[in-house]
Amino acid sequence: MDRFDAMQAFVRVVETGSFTKAAEVLQLSRARVTQLVQQLEGRLRVRLLNRTTRRVQPTADGAAYYARALRLLAELDEVESSLSGASDAPRGRLRVDVPTPLARLVLVPALPGFHARYPELQLELGVSDRLVDLIGENVDCVVRGGELSDPSLVARCVGELLLGVYAAPAYLARAGVPSHPGELASSHHRVVGFRSPRAGRPLSYAMTRGDEQLDVQGHALLSVDDGNAYLAAGLAGIGVLWLPHYMAGPHVEAGALRPLFEDWTLAPMPLYLAYRPNPHVSARLRVFIDWVVALLARELPR
């Protein structure tokens, strides 16, 4: 048994949930993939997979082995790349998770240029606003807005999101145009709540005008945990929004949103790229970080 081939076959079966799909990815026969996994289980003397007619899932031992095998395969790929002088042309797989609006409006539209520059780098992009376990889910890095709560991660500030307050014309026609942020706490005004994945409750926003300071949350009939859904709720007239300028700008120009309290300021939201501490950051991750920093400096000026 080739231990490397067996490990790779097992990892692909776990990721695809199927021996057939894993065989397609590896360009092997299904019988060969099955044989490799069975040989691996025999060598380790543990059952790695639970097989049903619908799906293949790892056992507890299999899940633990998968996490370690994935790291070993990634490290082996990185060693081969560095020894072959491929640091200028990194190859392999990079797993990244980014917020939904940032992916849709900024990162994904710029990816053709990234892939043209690094054609051998396979990017697996998770799009979410949830908390991500980088080690447990084997994610290479995440991009997140706001202060990070995990001190074990290496975090690099890659930009700042300038914020404003907005509402749809339909909402303002129904509820009236507030002249002061404090009015959002009144009974006839509503906001759309954005539920923090860290705190599990809607965020509040510190607003300043001269010596006047307010911490505003308002009354939310709807709270969401996804940036695209948050924007959609505001556009539908459900309530007032706090949005980064890059998200609100096109809708303000189209007349679908109106800015409020323009004489008030909000502290910019820092945008961080975070990854697991490692004395040797892979070439794949280095080029992605550099690309993100340059892209955000161009698209989201401080």
Side-chain angles (χ1 to χ4, degrees), residues 184-193 217-222:
L184 297 180
S186 66
S187 59
H188 68 281
H189 274 294
R190 295 291 180 266
V191 304
V192 181
Q217 188 172 60
H219 298 289
L221 291 178
L222 172 69

Side-chain angles (χ1 to χ4, degrees), residues 10 134 181 204 289 298 302:
F10 168 73
L134 274 75
S204 61
I289 292 173
R298 185 172 67 248
R302 294 175 183 240

Side-chain angles (χ1 to χ4, degrees), residues 161-240:
L161 302 180
L162 303 178
L163 302 175
V165 189
Y166 304 88
Y171 171 82
L172 297 174
R174 184 175 71 250
V177 180
S179 59
H180 190 280
E183 294 178 40
L184 297 180
S186 66
S187 59
H188 68 281
H189 274 294
R190 295 291 180 266
V191 304
V192 181
F194 188 85
R195 194 166 63 252
S196 165
R198 291 182 288 272
R201 60 180 181 273
L203 297 173
S204 61
Y205 300 87
M207 302 184 65
T208 304
R209 183 179 64 179
D211 295 332
E212 194 174 2
Q213 295 184 354
L214 287 177
D215 194 49
V216 183
Q217 188 172 60
H219 298 289
L221 291 178
L222 172 69
S223 297
V224 299
D225 61 358
D226 173 85
N228 285 339
Y230 182 71
L231 174 60
L235 292 171
I238 292 176
V240 174

Side-chain angles (χ1 to χ4, degrees), residues 125 210 243 300:
L125 191 64
L243 285 174
L300 306 176

